[in-house]
Amino acid sequence: MKSTKSFPVIKTALLSYGMSGKVFHAPFIHFHPGFELTAVWERSKKTATEDYPTIQVVHQLEEILNNEEIELVVVNTPTATHFEYAQKALLAGKHVIVEKAFTTTEKEAEILIELAEKKERILSVYQNRRWDSDFQTVQKIVNQQSLGSIHTATIRFERFKELLSAKVHKEKPGAGAGLLMDLGPHIIDQALVLFGMPNSVEAHIRTLRTHSLVDDDFLIHLLYNNLRVTLISSLLVPYSVDAYLIHGSKGSFIKQRGDIQESALLKQEQPFTDNWGLEPEEYAGRLITLQNGIEQDVCIASLPGNYGLYYENIYSAIRLNEPLKVSGTDGKKVMKIIEAAKQSHAEKRQISINH
């Protein structure tokens, strides 16, 4: 962690304190010495002060936007509100982190990116699962070129949630609802980090749960010159299989989803500790390669996961002018893929991607 002694803390506000604020943002802001969790916008409940007694709870967004001491605003409200609130925060001169999905359209993403550049503020998307232990390990194997020329890859993110969510915004049809806009941004972003933008997209989107009014199952093919990447997600999978299957000319890498950070955060364990994000050994991946006609099958210990590195980069970008690891442009690319997937499903054809 970089030294913060020479700089004032970055006073930060959350725009909600549901699971996202309580679990995925507040602990990393609170325990990082370069940040101060200053304010939370809570509409009805007042639960933030139970965890952080000194925090300021506000009832209107303007109380945050008009507070000149607050430098960073985290837009972690329902997806349909992201564009409006991020735009207002940027216009108020704040640095902004937006939860996934970044926006509801590529055009909205473009507007926010241009506004952030005009205001000379950082604009980032909270793609924390780039720092999952499983993805960190997969990325290492791909970057080492251990598999030769990769021709086929599958990334899955599946859950079993047969009952509809109590969160109305997740189940009510609208621009920000549905699984494609919920878990989709995570695995789309991971695919783009590994392989870049595809040439075309083919998608199949379904609604499987009883009484569901939004999509809850999808399969997306990202098509490259000599590579096919398949992204699969569903809320109706009682038994999950391996989350990552990467196949190349010299071998394969197989890895289950094993990151423990979400469960640790739900137990209110403290991040930025020595053993943070360490997977159990039984979650190790398998690297199977052929060398001189001899098959080698070895276990690959997982790298530790650490969502704190996302906030460490945000600090460095604001205070030290270092490049963002997850930019608004990254969010725009994800939105381009999501829009192409929706079009592909509707028109039952592949959609070309203009780079």
Side-chain angles (χ1 to χ4, degrees), residues 127 129-130 135 138-139 142-143 150 152-156 183-198 200-201 218 220-224 227-232 243-246 257 330 333-334 337:
Q127 287 289 5
R129 294 197 179 274
R130 290 192 190 185
F135 181 70
V138 169
Q139 188 176 19
V142 170
N143 290 344
I150 295 172
T152 308
T154 301
I155 303 176
R156 311 177 71 112
L183 297 184
H186 284 313
I187 56 179
I188 292 170
D189 180 74
Q190 289 184 345
L192 299 186
V193 169
L194 293 175
F195 305 113
M197 289 292 281
S200 60
V201 172
F218 66 79
I220 300 173
H221 292 308
L222 305 182
L223 303 170
Y224 301 76
L227 167 66
R228 183 188 68 225
V229 179
T230 300
L231 309 177
I232 300 173
Y244 302 89
L245 294 92
I246 317 292
R257 193 170 296 281
D330 292 328
K333 290 177 179 178
V334 171
I337 299 299

Side-chain angles (χ1 to χ4, degrees), residues 9-13 34-38 69-73 319:
V9 295
I10 299 170
K11 294 192 175 184
T12 304
F35 294 91
E36 176 188 286
L37 185 56
T38 303
E69 292 188 339
I70 293 174
E71 292 185 69
L72 175 64
V73 171
R319 287 290 181 254

Side-chain angles (χ1 to χ4, degrees), residues 263-298:
S263 60
L265 291 164
L266 286 168
K267 296 173 187 174
Q268 295 186 313
E269 294 179 14
Q270 181 178 332
F272 300 112
T273 53
D274 290 341
N275 295 320
W276 180 259
L278 292 178
E279 278 188 14
E281 291 183 3
E282 59 265 29
Y283 292 159
R286 290 177 60 199
L287 177 62
I288 304 166
T289 57
L290 285 171
Q291 296 182 6
N292 300 320
I294 300 174
E295 180 181 296
Q296 293 187 337
D297 187 341
V298 298

Side-chain angles (χ1 to χ4, degrees), residues 17 25 45 103 122 124 140 144 168 173 178 188 207 213 221 252-253 267 273 280 296 309 337:
Y17 199 70
H25 291 284
K45 297 180 181 179
T103 53
I122 73 153
S124 179
K140 176 184 176 182
Q144 286 178 340
V168 177
I188 292 170
T207 299
L213 299 175
H221 292 308
S252 298
F253 186 64
K267 296 173 187 174
T273 53
Q296 293 187 337
L309 293 177
I337 299 299

Side-chain angles (χ1 to χ4, degrees), residues 47-266:
T47 58
T49 51
E50 295 175 7
D51 297 326
Y52 306 99
T54 62
I55 202 171
Q56 178 186 359
V57 173
V58 304
H59 305 290
Q60 300 293 331
L61 175 60
E62 287 67 29
E63 295 179 71
I64 288 173
L65 301 183
N66 295 333
N67 186 334
E68 295 183 356
E69 292 188 339
I70 293 174
E71 292 185 69
L72 175 64
V73 171
V74 180
V75 181
N76 59 323
T77 50
T79 299
T81 66
H82 286 181
F83 174 74
E84 176 189 354
Y85 294 157
Q87 185 180 50
K88 286 182 176 180
L90 288 168
L91 287 169
K94 311 299 185 185
H95 300 291
V96 176
I97 293 171
V98 186
E99 259 288 357
K100 57 80 199 164
F102 181 28
T103 53
T104 60
T105 66
E106 184 185 1
K107 183 59 180 177
E108 288 180 347
E110 289 177 354
I111 293 171
L112 293 181
I113 292 167
E114 291 174 3
L115 180 57
E117 291 175 351
K118 180 180 178 180
K119 290 290 187 178
E120 298 182 334
R121 301 289 90 180
I122 73 153
L123 173 64
S124 179
V125 185
Y126 188 62
Q127 287 289 5
N128 60 309
R129 294 197 179 274
R130 290 192 190 185
W131 286 273
D132 275 352
S133 54
D134 38 59
F135 181 70
Q136 287 282 300
T137 309
V138 169
Q139 188 176 19
K140 176 184 176 182
I141 294 296
V142 170
N143 290 344
Q144 286 178 340
Q145 300 182 328
S146 305
L147 307 178
S149 178
I150 295 172
H151 53 76
T152 308
T154 301
I155 303 176
R156 311 177 71 112
F157 198 162
E158 295 159 315
R159 291 173 170 167
F160 186 64
K161 294 187 175 182
E162 185 179 16
L163 299 179
L164 303 188
S165 173
K167 298 178 180 178
V168 177
H169 68 270
K170 286 195 170 188
E171 302 291 356
K172 183 178 179 181
L179 189 65
L180 182 60
M181 294 291 285
D182 186 16
L183 297 184
H186 284 313
I187 56 179
I188 292 170
D189 180 74
Q190 289 184 345
L192 299 186
V193 169
L194 293 175
F195 305 113
M197 289 292 281
N199 298 325
S200 60
V201 172
E202 179 182 328
H204 307 272
I205 305 168
R206 301 189 291 175
T207 299
L208 298 180
R209 296 170 302 157
T210 303
H211 306 305
S212 178
L213 299 175
V214 299
D215 63 275
D216 52 25
D217 180 283
F218 66 79
L219 179 150
I220 300 173
H221 292 308
L222 305 182
L223 303 170
Y224 301 76
N225 291 341
N226 295 303
L227 167 66
R228 183 188 68 225
V229 179
T230 300
L231 309 177
I232 300 173
S233 187
S234 179
L235 293 182
L236 207 59
V237 177
Y239 180 79
S240 295
V241 297
D242 293 309
Y244 302 89
L245 294 92
I246 317 292
H247 305 296
S249 59
K250 296 182 180 178
S252 298
F253 186 64
I254 304 168
K255 178 75 177 74
Q256 62 180 300
R257 193 170 296 281
D259 192 86
I260 62 169
Q261 292 180 88
E262 182 173 341
S263 60
L265 291 164
L266 286 168

